[in-house]
Structure formats: C-alpha cells, structure tokens
Amino acid sequence: MKRILITGGAGFLGSHLCEKLHNGKNEIICLDNYYSSSKQNIIHLLQNPRFELLRHDITFPIYIEVDEIYNLACPASPVHYQRDPVQTSKTIVHGAINMLGLAKRVGAKIFQASTSEVYGDPLIHPQTENYWGNVNPVGIRSCYDEGKRCAETLFFDYQLQHNLDIKVARIFNTYGPGMHPNDGRVVSNFIVQAIKGKDITIYGDGSQTRSFCYVDDLVNVIIKFMKTEKGFTGPMNIGNPNEFTMLELAELTLELTNSKSKIIHQTLPEDDPKQRQPDISLAKEKLNWEPKIQLRDGLERTIKYFQSL
Ligand SMILES: NC(=O)c1ccc[n+]([C@@H]2O[C@H](COP(=O)([O-])OP(=O)(O)OC[C@H]3O[C@@H](n4cnc5c(N)ncnc54)[C@H](O)[C@@H]3O)[C@@H](O)[C@H]2O)c1
C-alpha cells in the first residue's frame, strides 16, 4: 500500500486522478483549498476510509508522511488564474518549493503537472520537448506560463542538487466530465453555450488550432509515467496530437448537441497562441502510450455530463 498525496485533488484532473488511484490498495490524501473547485467533485469518495480530504493552501508548508506526490494544485483556466495573478504565481512557485521540500524530507517520488503553456505562442510546430518556447514574461498569461516554467526549473534543480525522483509532464488541453461549467475553457464554453441555446463565441476568426485530450487518456498516462524508473524525469508532452480549429470544434459541438445556436466572433485575447499540437513521440516510445478516445466520442461523453448538471 502506498500513501499518495494529490494536491489540487478536488479539481478537474485531480478528482479523476483520485478516483483512478483510489482502488482499494492505496491511501489517498486529497489536498485542496477549493480556489477553483468544490468538494462536489470528490464527495462520492469520502465514505472510503482510505480517502482523506485536507483543506490546505500549498503556498504554506505541510508536514505529512507520504510515498508519492502528484502536484496539480493551480487554477488552470485563464478566467481563474488571471483573477488573482499574484496568488497564481505563489501557488505555482511557492507551492512547488513546499511540495519539493516535502518530497525531499520524506523521500517521496513527485509528479509535476506542467503545461503546454511553457511553449507560449510557439514558433515551431508540433512542439517537441526540446523547444524552449516563445513566452511573454509580462502579459496577462505570464503568471501562469512563467510560473510553470519556474516550477520546472525548481523540479530539475531539486533533482540535480538533492537527487529527487521527479516526473515532469507538459499537459496539453484536456477536457471531459468534471470540468467547471464557467471556467472559460473553450470546450466547456462551447458546450454550455450550445446547450443553453446561446451564441457560440469564437475569439478571432476561429482558425487558431488546439489539440484536445480526453481526461481518461490523460490520467492513464500520468499514472504510467509515475511508475517509470528513477531518472526518467521528462519533461514529457502528454496530450492528443489531433489538431482542430476552433471553428471545427464549434461546428462539431453544435452537431452533437443538436443546437440552433449561432456562431459569433469576438476579439482575440492578448497573447492567445495561434496553434498548439504536442509531439508525443517520447510518451509513445517510453510508455507505449497514445490517446485512445477521439474528439467526437469524448465530446459526446462531456456533453452528457454538462446536460446532467
Ligand atoms: N486541464 C488542462 O487542460 C490542463 C492543461 C495543462 C496543465 N494543467 C495543469 O493540471 C493541473 C490541474 O488542472 P485542472 O484542469 O484540474 O484545474 P482545476 O482548476 O480544475 O484544478 C486545480 C485545483 O487546484 C486547487 N488549488 C488552486 N490553488 C491552490 C492552492 N494554493 N492550494 C491548494 N489547492 C489549490 C483548486 O482549488 C483546484 O481544485 C494544474 O496544475 C494545471 O496547470 C491542466
């Protein structure tokens, strides 16, 4: 039996990870301050004695005995992370320092949820892990992008200096049941607008692209990554390399929801990346992993979830 700490465990990805790792064998400590989530996502796990909920802000140190740490705590959607950018940087950077300090103290293996945002508005396509990125250090997205870059640096320095067993994954856009309906991410936005019969808002002309990974595929690869030998650290891209324009996503959402909503266009937000597509060769080669659930199937499952809310 392992004792596993999942920071941000009540959030979208964290709650799926709690569910998957909580398999009767492990003891799960789900840590969250509910900044961008609620207990609702994990309430069904609470009756299990091997599942524990801890209200804590990772910008403050914590002392507990654990074997593994999955560090996911951080608001991920622009609406949430731009609401209090100073707190966002603190959560990412102080949070990383506190979690790495804990891992060092107790000898735990530690996973970091990094992001494709470390590539900024990329000048190479698709993005490989050795690309250093094209990031604005002083824009509205910087608290998140630069915060996550600094966290990666901290992880690798702790490994170098203290021989920590680290795993750093760069997660690309992920969607699925459990997403916050008002978090402003494109998949949840389009589905909620389509279900409510409201206009579907596309920023810019809709030709910008993203690659969308269904949450089950992503959680599976995170767990696989964590099982690799010490020294296999990443950074490793994880996501679905199939690329869609925002216009294609909007049209597919309209089709699957049978919605009569109209597509309208709004001004593109500052520093919005034009294209994103992970090169997942490393994950394929090392973990023998690639996503199984394609967009149409994943969207149908996600639409059902939003309809049920
Ligand atoms: N979902 C994606 O597409 C995506 C893409 C790239 C990276 N990521 C990364 O994965 C992680 C999880 O993302 P998500 O989509 O589940 O986001 P989310 O906002 O749903 O979950 C984040 C969780 O962290 C908690 N949190 C925030 N600040 C905290 C703090 N100071 N102390 C304790 N808890 C705190 C929130 O309350 C929330 O439960 C994040 O680190 C994010 O950067 C996600």
Side-chain angles (χ1 to χ4, degrees):
M1 191 188 76
K2 277 185 287 199
R3 191 176 295 160
I4 303 174
L5 172 66
I6 303 176
T7 78
F12 165 49
L13 295 181
S15 57
H16 283 269
L17 198 58
C18 285
E19 205 155 290
K20 192 93 185 182
L21 287 170
H22 157 274
N23 52 9
K25 279 189 258 152
N26 301 316
E27 198 170 319
I28 306 292
I29 302 172
C30 167
L31 179 157
D32 211 297
N33 68 350
Y34 312 113
Y35 182 83
S36 54
S37 64
S38 76
K39 275 187 200 154
Q40 211 50 43
N41 283 342
I42 32 87
I43 206 131
H44 57 291
L45 301 174
L46 282 177
Q47 67 261 32
N48 190 306
R50 291 214 172 118
F51 183 83
E52 205 175 321
L53 198 53
L54 207 57
R55 182 189 286 264
H56 180 79
D57 180 334
I58 59 159
T59 61
F60 298 97
I62 186 159
Y63 302 93
I64 44 178
E65 304 300 315
V66 290
D67 304 300
E68 291 184 354
I69 303 169
Y70 289 83
N71 186 35
L72 277 75
C74 171
S77 85
V79 171
H80 289 144
Y81 75 65
Q82 288 169 14
R83 191 169 65 207
D84 186 347
V86 172
Q87 176 64 20
T88 299
S89 297
K90 283 185 184 171
T91 292
I92 302 172
V93 178
H94 291 192
I97 293 170
N98 289 329
M99 290 307 123
L100 286 161
L102 175 64
K104 179 180 161 215
R105 209 156 39 239
V106 298
K109 190 190 279 198
I110 180 165
F111 168 89
Q112 167 67 354
S114 191
T115 166
S116 56
E117 300 291 335
V118 300
Y119 299 123
D121 191 0
L123 303 176
I124 67 150
H125 194 70
Q127 292 79 54
T128 45
E129 288 89 352
N130 58 5
Y131 177 52
W132 290 356
N134 176 36
V135 179
N136 176 358
V138 290
I140 55 169
R141 302 171 77 100
S142 311
C143 58
Y144 186 75
D145 300 8
E146 294 289 23
K148 289 283 187 178
R149 286 166 69 92
C150 180
E152 283 197 10
T153 308
L154 282 161
F155 267 70
F156 281 88
D157 285 344
Y158 264 79
Q159 189 232 4
L160 194 72
Q161 241 174 291
H162 303 295
N163 194 27
L164 245 61
D165 191 356
I166 62 160
K167 309 282 170 200
V168 177
R170 292 181 179 156
I171 303 171
F172 282 65
N173 279 11
T174 304
Y175 70 99
M179 290 180 94
H180 198 297
N182 301 320
D183 69 2
R185 290 191 247 195
V186 64
V187 174
S188 43
N189 257 6
F190 284 2
I191 296 178
V192 171
Q193 288 167 336
I195 291 175
K196 290 187 171 171
K198 291 186 174 169
D199 292 342
I200 302 242
T201 46
I202 289 189
Y203 300 122
D205 64 5
S207 62
Q208 70 275 36
T209 66
R210 295 290 183 277
S211 311
F212 300 102
C213 188
Y214 189 68
V215 62
D216 289 1
D217 281 329
L218 195 94
V219 165
N220 285 341
V221 71
I222 289 178
I223 295 170
K224 267 190 150 192
F225 186 15
M226 199 60 157
K227 287 184 180 153
T228 57
E229 75 280 5
K230 186 169 177 178
F232 180 66
T233 58
M236 185 175 72
N237 290 337
I238 53 176
N240 190 324
N242 290 345
E243 199 182 359
F244 295 87
T245 66
M246 293 308 95
L247 203 55
E248 285 169 332
L249 178 69
E251 283 165 354
L252 185 59
T253 307
L254 285 175
E255 182 201 320
L256 297 177
T257 49
N258 282 320
S259 170
K260 304 253 175 317
S261 295
K262 285 198 312 281
I263 293 177
I264 60 161
H265 295 267
Q266 286 185 350
T267 327
L268 208 56
E270 196 185 308
D271 295 333
D272 196 50
K274 284 177 270 310
Q275 50 184 13
R276 273 291 166 67
Q277 186 191 29
D279 179 318
I280 57 164
S281 315
L282 181 62
K284 269 187 186 165
E285 184 196 312
K286 183 74 193 176
L287 305 179
N288 192 22
W289 171 86
E290 59 185 319
K292 291 198 176 76
I293 298 159
Q294 296 311 328
L295 188 62
R296 175 174 282 272
D297 184 11
L299 267 187
E300 278 173 349
R301 299 185 200 191
T302 313
I303 288 166
K304 271 199 199 117
Y305 162 76
F306 279 112
Q307 278 165 338
S308 75
L309 286 185

